[in-house]
Amino acid sequence: MTAQRLDGWTHVYSGKVRDLYVPADGSERFLLVVASDRISAFDHVLAPPISGKGAVLTALSRWWFEQIELPNHLAENDPDAPAVPPEVADRAMLTRRLEMYPIECVVRGALTGSGFAEYRRTGAVCGIELPAGLSDGDLLDEPIYTPAYKAPLGEHDENITFARSAELVGEEAAAALRDASIAIFTRARELAAERGVILADTKFEFGRDPVTGELVLADEVLTSDSSRYWDASAYAAGGPGRLASFDKQIVRDWLAANWDRTGEPPALPQPIVDRTLVRYTELYARITGA
């Protein structure tokens, strides 16, 4: 992965789909988070990119930040903030620098994906016992908090118990992360339901402001890359399409049918690329009304 060169900014890190920059003047207060058009699945960055994906995800994150009553990392209104380069303005967020917690704060309102696989093996998800007899896609009476340890690039994130998260970040911080995550998820699920969409699960990331010590919501939030959304009418109708999600599941399904997960993954066919962008864009329109 080769990050784009931006005047006035120094590239410091690239994740699977995001590039991070700091001001070239050495300021330590700000960070530029640029959402690329790269797409990843099964811990691999795939080719080709999904043109336009970064802009859609950034716009959706911004919309959700406006709905959430919790401090977030956006810093555009800071009078000392540097200008965002125009060539990435539609897919970049100028943020304050935080001390990030090494926890992915996963909240599940439905039993599916890796959570359902774990439930089938153990009857629980991340140490949380669930009723017997649940099926893939069943909605839970109350959302559950199932944190994960954020693995380094190229490694798989590890589902952990709340007790393990407390060992990693401390009891007080672990409780704050859990409570904030469930509160945000609950509100977001209500807003999504009003728009005919089921928020099945999501993950949040938080940091600590090094100056104030406050808990700050960071990274992307409630996007197609960090969340699983289902169409409420399709879900109610049942059938094989009831769990079709507004995300990269199209990509995962194609890879699962065409790659044995050894070596490098094959290039995505253009129809898969096009259908994925349509799903991302449709969710943005459904959620925001824009």
Side-chain angles (χ1 to χ4, degrees), residues 137-270:
D138 281 356
L139 302 182
L140 303 175
D141 292 337
E142 296 291 338
I144 59 174
Y145 176 68
T146 58
Y149 173 68
K150 289 165 57 177
L153 181 64
E155 299 181 22
H156 193 66
D157 295 336
E158 175 192 357
N159 288 344
I160 58 176
T161 63
F162 174 78
R164 176 58 181 149
S165 74
E167 292 175 358
L168 290 169
V169 300
E171 189 75 35
E172 183 177 350
L177 293 171
R178 176 196 60 202
D179 295 348
S181 298
I182 291 177
I184 297 170
F185 180 89
T186 300
R187 177 57 178 149
R189 182 172 60 175
E190 293 170 353
L191 286 173
E194 293 171 2
R195 292 152 172 80
V197 177
I198 296 171
L199 175 58
D201 54 45
T202 194
K203 69 176 180 67
F204 302 112
E205 296 194 31
F206 295 89
R208 176 185 177 275
D209 188 298
V211 176
T212 67
E214 71 179 347
L215 184 69
V216 180
L217 181 61
D219 200 62
E220 63 180 324
V221 59
L222 293 160
T223 69
S224 301
D225 269 9
S226 64
S227 315
R228 186 180 277 110
Y229 290 93
W230 297 326
D231 181 278
S233 59
Y235 184 89
R242 75 186 188 113
L243 302 185
S245 52
F246 293 93
D247 62 9
K248 57 187 176 184
Q249 192 59 47
I250 295 169
V251 170
R252 295 190 194 98
D253 291 345
W254 185 86
L255 278 178
N258 293 276
W259 181 47
D260 63 3
R261 302 202 195 187
T262 61
E264 291 298 311
L268 301 174
Q270 193 59 43

